[in-house]
Amino acid sequence: MPRPYWSGQIQISLVSFAVKLFPATEAKSEIRFHQLSRKSGERIKHQKVSGDEEPIESADIVKGYEYRKGEYVMVEPDEIEHLRIPSRHTLAVAQFVDEDELDPEFFEKPYFVVPEDDVQAEAFAVVRKALQTTKKVALGKIAFGGREHLVAISAPGDDKLAGMMAYTMRYAEELRDPAEYFGDIKKVAVDEDQLSLAKELIKRKAAKFAPEKFKDEYEAALRELVKAKISNKPIPRDEPAPKSAKVVNLMDALRKSVRGDEAPAVKKKAETKSAAAAKKGITLVKPAGTKTSKQKKSA
């Protein structure tokens, strides 16, 4: 198991237990680009220099806060490391909220939460079950990565997953006011027939979420580009979508979308019926007066 990203206590009033947090995500991109000189093809090197253009060693670099134009106060790394922040080692639960109270835009990054050791497992399991049954989320703060994060702790609904989840969250002041962007949207009366068709289209395309079905096509296209350049083959290029001068009526577009989504299902049902009949040695006979594809061509 990798090293934990954060270790400390979760404290709920007088109850506390030690936990470890591990990042729940990882970068999967295989394409890495470096900066090269177009003229020489050599890799670009970056150096940290001071005002006299002399390279500076990393050990000689400190943080500086500009408190007045051109004037800085230096802050040493160990001074930041020893800041008095209780949440550096303890997540004190400030409150519990319903799961559906937290809008998606507040969430940033997920982490796995596990007990520090077997001694902590009892309190961990009790709190986990309590969160699960009450459908509540614990809110508190943790300091790491150079700032104090608002964190939500929740319990998965699946009992096979015995851990908990932590999500770093955005503070309210970090979110832009949606009214600035949505306020100018034209108010439109929704036609009931159009709404009905739209709901039917959504119903036909509804399915259980399968995350493994979604792949990064941009990554695949980059890999194809690099492979073509290495092999000195033509570079695949995106073709611009054809511009349509015809204005499509919304009602017609909805009808065609519903019918187009329906056709594959009807065809599949017919193919399944034919296959089942063939398996039983039955030949399906078309109704009298139905022309075959050859008869239609000759006609």
Side-chain angles (χ1 to χ4, degrees):
M1 184 180 290
R3 291 180 59 186
Y5 193 76
W6 182 87
S7 297
Q9 301 275 331
I10 291 182
Q11 182 180 332
I12 308 172
S13 190
L14 299 179
V15 177
S16 65
F17 50 94
V19 298
K20 296 182 287 189
L21 266 64
F22 298 90
T25 61
E26 59 183 353
K28 283 294 185 181
S29 176
E30 297 177 2
I31 299 294
R32 295 285 189 274
F33 289 114
H34 298 286
Q35 291 183 322
L36 305 178
S37 167
R38 181 178 279 110
K39 291 182 179 179
S40 67
E42 295 180 345
R43 186 170 171 181
I44 302 297
K45 295 180 180 179
H46 297 272
Q47 288 185 319
K48 296 179 179 179
V49 298
S50 61
D52 56 8
E53 300 299 321
E54 289 293 324
I56 304 296
E57 296 295 329
S58 296
D60 294 326
I61 298 176
V62 296
K63 294 182 182 298
Y65 177 77
E66 188 175 20
Y67 63 94
R68 192 182 298 130
K69 186 66 175 178
E71 296 187 48
Y72 300 85
V73 59
M74 289 187 182
V75 180
E76 297 289 343
D78 66 319
E79 293 175 328
I80 295 177
E81 183 65 26
H82 293 91
L83 283 174
R84 293 185 61 184
I85 306 175
S87 61
R88 187 189 297 277
H89 305 292
T90 302
L91 186 153
V93 174
Q95 71 174 105
F96 296 93
V97 298
D98 291 336
E99 291 177 347
D100 56 6
E101 281 188 60
L102 302 178
D103 293 329
E105 61 262 30
F106 281 99
F107 291 97
E108 278 190 329
K109 189 174 181 180
Y111 293 84
F112 297 129
V113 185
V114 302
E116 178 74 42
D117 49 42
D118 291 346
V119 177
Q120 316 297 320
E122 182 182 14
F124 184 95
V126 170
V127 171
R128 180 191 178 281
K129 193 65 177 178
L131 288 174
Q132 188 186 66
T133 53
T134 58
K135 297 187 182 301
K136 296 288 186 182
V137 174
L139 296 181
K141 292 190 292 185
I142 298 179
F144 61 73
R147 62 174 297 192
E148 189 176 52
H149 300 266
L150 177 62
V151 175
I153 305 288
S154 67
D158 187 354
D159 281 327
K160 293 179 182 177
L161 303 174
M164 290 193 281
M165 295 297 299
Y167 301 90
T168 51
M169 301 181 68
R170 298 178 180 90
Y171 289 99
E173 60 266 25
E174 294 179 296
L175 295 172
R176 293 175 175 174
D177 184 2
E180 294 181 17
Y181 300 86
F182 300 158
D184 293 333
I185 297 177
K186 179 184 176 182
K187 299 295 188 293
V188 178
V190 177
D191 179 83
E192 287 300 322
D193 291 334
Q194 293 177 351
L195 177 61
S196 179
L197 284 169
K199 289 165 68 174
E200 180 62 23
L201 182 59
I202 291 173
K203 181 180 177 182
R204 290 180 186 277
K205 287 191 172 291
K208 188 175 181 181
F209 177 49
E212 65 279 359
K213 289 171 59 178
F214 298 90
K215 305 296 181 183
D216 184 356
E217 298 298 335
Y218 188 86
E219 171 79 8
L222 275 179
R223 197 178 298 114
E224 188 179 358
L225 167 65
V226 171
K227 187 177 178 181
K229 292 183 76 70
I230 292 173
S231 306
N232 291 316
K233 293 182 178 179
I235 299 175
R237 292 185 178 276
D238 188 22
E239 296 181 3
K243 293 183 179 179
S244 176
K246 184 180 178 182
V247 178
V248 180
N249 178 275
L250 177 58
M251 196 67 177
D252 290 340
L254 285 167
R255 286 198 186 101
K256 288 177 181 178
S257 296
V258 171
R259 284 202 300 267
D261 193 63
E262 180 183 32
V266 173
K267 184 179 178 182
K268 185 177 180 182
K269 186 176 180 181
E271 289 175 350
T272 305
K273 187 176 180 181
S274 299
K279 192 174 181 181
K280 295 179 181 179
I282 301 172
T283 302
L284 293 178
V285 181
K286 291 187 176 183
T290 303
K291 293 183 180 181
T292 64
S293 57
K294 288 183 179 180
Q295 289 172 331
K296 288 178 180 177
K297 288 181 179 178
S298 61

